[in-house]
Amino acid sequence: MLVAPSILSADFGKLNEDIKAICDGGCDLIHVDVMDGHYVPNMTIGPVVVNSVAKIATKPLDIHLMVEDNNFFIDLFSHLKPKYISFHIESENHPHRIIQKLRALGIKPAIVLNPHTRPEEIEYLLADLDMVLLMSVNPGFGGQKFIQSVVDKTKKLKTLINKYNPSCLIQIDGGVNDKNIHELKDAGVDVVVAGSYVYGANNIKEAISSLQI
Ligand code: DX5
Ligand code: ZN
């Protein structure tokens, strides 16, 4: 299981230190939540802060866009060469075009599904994706309760992935901890995002290790 701590739960007064803590703690990716205050009822960080994050980071960036205008934000972040950029299927009229754009920029394309969105919605995009992110909370905030139905949804998505693109990864975001990590692994999850669990722990390294099962 790969682990992508979300810096949304970091202390932004000492962001430098908190990014070093997850990198030194052995994380696999750094999950960066970008919100525009329109697509979701919260705002986080823009290019100024994400540029600084990229300078400090010693692990690849995994940028999760929760925005109305995906094109605009991809243009802001592409020069940072993140490993992944994920965008919501619900916010994009032309998802295939966005996937092609990311691919041309050398960024691995990923699509995010909100808790209510059926995996079949992206059936004909799977062949072109490197990762699908299933939200296990409603996007916008850290520290929310895990929505259990995502486990069944993961299994359905896994069946489609096996059919269309077995190398496509499944990522889960929201309410992940050392209690639900085992059922997520069993359901076929490859990557977990964890914000409050990692940054709320006394020992960040141990918290990350407890998810790398
Ligand atoms: C929510 C974000 C998540 C969030 C996860 O919109 O996409 O990445 O930071 O936080 P936890 O792990 O606390 O649920
Ligand atoms: Zn996220």
Side-chain angles (χ1 to χ4, degrees):
M1 183 74 78
L2 300 177
V3 176
S6 164
I7 59 167
L8 188 58
S9 292
D11 179 347
F12 277 66
K14 56 177 182 72
L15 190 56
N16 186 4
E17 213 177 290
D18 276 9
I19 289 170
K20 282 189 177 143
I22 54 170
C23 292
D24 295 348
C27 74
D28 298 287
L29 296 164
I30 300 175
H31 189 78
V32 180
D33 288 302
V34 175
M35 307 181 189
D36 65 355
H38 294 279
Y39 181 60
V40 288
N42 194 9
M43 291 174 81
T44 53
I45 52 180
V48 174
V49 177
V50 181
N51 283 355
S52 299
V53 171
K55 277 188 201 144
I56 304 160
T58 56
K59 297 292 170 75
L61 298 187
D62 167 37
I63 298 182
H64 175 190
L65 298 179
M66 285 158 274
V67 301
E68 282 185 353
D69 191 342
N70 292 298
N71 244 314
F72 174 77
F73 282 90
I74 289 167
D75 289 342
L76 288 181
F77 299 132
S78 59
H79 72 282
L80 299 173
K81 297 286 170 210
K83 184 161 186 180
Y84 295 96
I85 289 186
S86 57
F87 64 95
H88 278 254
I89 189 72
E90 303 88 356
S91 78
E92 183 52 58
N93 289 329
H94 300 287
H96 194 270
R97 183 177 291 152
I98 294 287
I99 292 169
Q100 286 176 316
K101 174 173 175 143
L102 289 170
R103 197 61 83 196
L105 289 164
I107 300 165
K108 291 178 184 291
I111 280 189
V112 194
L113 272 59
N114 275 330
H116 72 277
T117 304
R118 292 158 55 85
E120 291 81 1
E121 291 286 324
I122 57 162
E123 182 170 359
Y124 299 112
L125 295 170
L126 283 174
D128 301 302
L129 289 171
D130 280 57
M131 187 162 72
V132 177
L133 167 49
L134 299 180
M135 291 305 301
S136 42
V137 296
N138 286 300
F141 303 92
Q144 301 181 81
K145 190 175 177 294
F146 181 79
I147 296 172
Q148 195 62 37
S149 59
V150 79
V151 175
D152 180 56
K153 189 161 138 185
T154 300
K155 293 175 188 163
K156 288 191 174 136
L157 173 62
K158 188 77 185 168
T159 305
L160 289 174
I161 281 179
N162 285 340
K163 181 172 173 192
Y164 291 99
N165 180 6
S167 61
C168 179
L169 301 180
I170 301 181
Q171 183 179 39
I172 298 284
D173 184 2
V176 172
N177 56 40
D178 59 341
K179 306 287 182 302
N180 52 27
I181 192 72
H182 299 280
E183 64 176 332
L184 292 174
K185 173 96 181 171
D186 291 346
V189 174
D190 305 288
V191 189
V192 285
V193 176
S196 50
Y197 173 70
V198 167
Y199 278 110
N202 289 328
N203 185 321
I204 285 183
K205 193 182 173 71
E206 277 175 17
I208 292 172
S209 306
S210 73
L211 302 178
Q212 285 167 325
I213 58 171

